[in-house]
Amino acid sequence: MTTATAVAHPNIALVKYWGKADASLALPATGSVSMGLDVFPTTTTVTVGAAEDTLTLNGAATTDGALVRVTQFLDLVRDLAGSSDRAAVVSDNTVPTGAGLASSASGFAALATAAAAAYGLDLSPRDLSRLARRGSGSATRSIPGGVAVWHAGDDQGSYAEPVPAPPMAMVVVTIDAGPKPIGSREAMRRTIATSPFYPAWVTSTTETVTDMLTACAAGDFTRIGELTESNALRMHATIEGAFPPIRYLTARSVAVFDAVAGLRADGLQAWATADAGPNVVVLTTPEDRGAVAAALAGYGDVIESGTGPGAHLLRSEDTEAPGPGVVRPEESAE
Ligand code: DP6
């Protein structure tokens, strides 16, 4: 039996991914740019050599759609490795699942990293990112961590890589940690099929990616913030244009956007964004993050985050005894 354990963190897009050009290859319609968080890690252990694929999520055996998605993902890894062995997957996810905080990003980035190692694949960061993409689009960007761009393109060309950027921080305002009314995958499909704003979203976001990379390279934090908030609102407007409409932002979300505008008027660097849920994430600087968090404490559960690391394997000595680590085939007791 071969076992590997990996850790990955969520990321929050500064320029959003919303819509696929090719669903079977998980190719996005546009590029996107994100900041990886240093909070809410997912730790996943993959042990190859089980009787069947199993998934234990936060301590509970899981047999629903989550296991189907994990099995389909493991099939891709098995194809690459030329293996038909089944695996036991044990994942501990500290992201509030389904709350629009991209739990699938850290989940599939950790699974890709652990499964590739457990099946004996030696993938480059680029190929690991391409593999994670097949699990969930946003997971592509959790492989590099930090500030990352995920390129649109074909199967070979669609991966994420780090980009130079000024120091950043985020304040996550969790308004509602319950499951969202409609998952992002289905909501993307409906947006593409029915929102008259979708073509404009694709055109404008493609331009915004270029503008964002320019602003990041120049270290122009105010421009980064302006583009971040604008792109988030454009995504939500596009989603709201679907039929039947989908609306993720609630009155409480909008109140946080207003409060963030007030913080800017007070001289702080603070710019709001939100994914497919009501929670709001505020982009800020390391200097201002404490003041931003204190000011928003009344709006929900507030957590500060710096810029986080990329997905990585844990060596055996990094895990608490007798926790699993990477066990090379030659070391394993079969
Ligand atoms: C709003 O990555 O969850 O968070 O590729 O279908 O798994 P799938 O979608 P997912 O969508 C994330 C959308 C978003 C924006 C973003 O993270 O860029």
Side-chain angles (χ1 to χ4, degrees):
M1 287 210 294
T2 308
T3 293
T5 299
V7 178
H9 290 77
N11 67 80
I12 300 292
L14 309 177
V15 182
K16 306 294 186 190
Y17 145 61
W18 193 260
K20 296 174 181 68
D22 182 324
S24 64
L25 287 172
L27 298 174
T30 71
S32 56
V33 181
S34 63
M35 183 192 116
L37 304 185
D38 63 8
V39 294
F40 303 139
T42 297
T43 305
T44 298
T45 298
V46 175
T47 303
V48 176
E52 56 181 355
D53 287 341
T54 57
L55 172 63
T56 306
L57 201 51
N58 293 337
T62 305
T63 53
D64 62 5
L67 174 61
V68 173
R69 230 169 127 177
V70 164
T71 296
Q72 287 169 346
F73 185 80
L74 291 175
D75 285 341
L76 294 169
V77 179
R78 284 187 277 260
D79 273 358
L80 288 172
S83 167
S84 56
D85 292 345
R86 306 283 118 184
V89 176
V90 178
S91 189
D92 288 311
N93 192 356
T94 58
V95 189
T97 302
L101 282 176
S103 60
S104 63
S106 54
F108 278 99
L111 178 62
T113 306
Y119 278 93
L121 295 171
D122 187 17
L123 299 182
S124 66
R126 176 182 298 197
D127 285 342
L128 203 51
S129 171
R130 290 175 52 237
L131 175 64
R133 189 192 80 219
R134 303 290 293 275
S136 181
S138 50
T140 315
R141 301 181 309 236
S142 279
I143 296 295
V147 179
V149 60
W150 170 21
H151 303 287
D154 60 9
D155 180 36
Q156 288 296 326
S158 186
Y159 59 90
E161 61 182 340
V163 293
M168 295 181 189
M170 285 184 166
V171 174
V172 180
V173 185
T174 304
I175 288 166
D176 180 356
K180 48 199 174 194
I182 170 169
S184 54
R185 194 158 280 196
E186 173 55 24
M188 273 181 206
R189 274 195 287 261
R190 193 188 299 172
T191 306
I192 294 171
T194 65
S195 177
F197 311 141
Y198 187 71
W201 160 256
V202 171
T203 311
S204 72
T205 298
T206 301
E207 289 167 6
T208 305
V209 169
T210 304
D211 293 347
M212 180 62 84
L213 295 178
T214 303
C216 283
D220 187 343
F221 197 92
T222 299
R223 179 76 174 146
I224 293 168
E226 286 170 352
L227 291 169
T228 296
E229 192 167 306
S230 161
N231 182 259
L233 291 173
R234 283 177 178 178
M235 180 186 78
H236 284 280
T238 308
I239 296 170
E240 289 172 15
F243 192 88
I246 301 163
R247 188 166 54 83
Y248 285 119
L249 299 180
T250 64
R252 294 175 69 194
S253 318
V254 175
V256 178
F257 273 74
D258 285 347
V260 167
L263 296 179
R264 285 199 296 275
D266 292 342
L268 293 174
Q269 285 284 7
W271 306 89
T273 185
D275 285 339
N279 301 312
V280 178
V281 181
V282 183
L283 175 68
T284 183
T285 58
E287 298 76 43
D288 286 353
R289 74 184 241 189
V292 169
L296 297 176
Y299 289 86
D301 193 17
V302 168
I303 290 176
E304 293 179 41
S305 175
T307 305
H312 52 277
L313 287 170
L314 289 188
R315 295 166 296 143
S316 331
E317 56 267 36
D318 292 338
T319 58
E320 284 175 24
V326 185
V327 181
R328 302 266 165 240
E330 60 271 20
E331 297 167 4
S332 68
E334 297 230 64

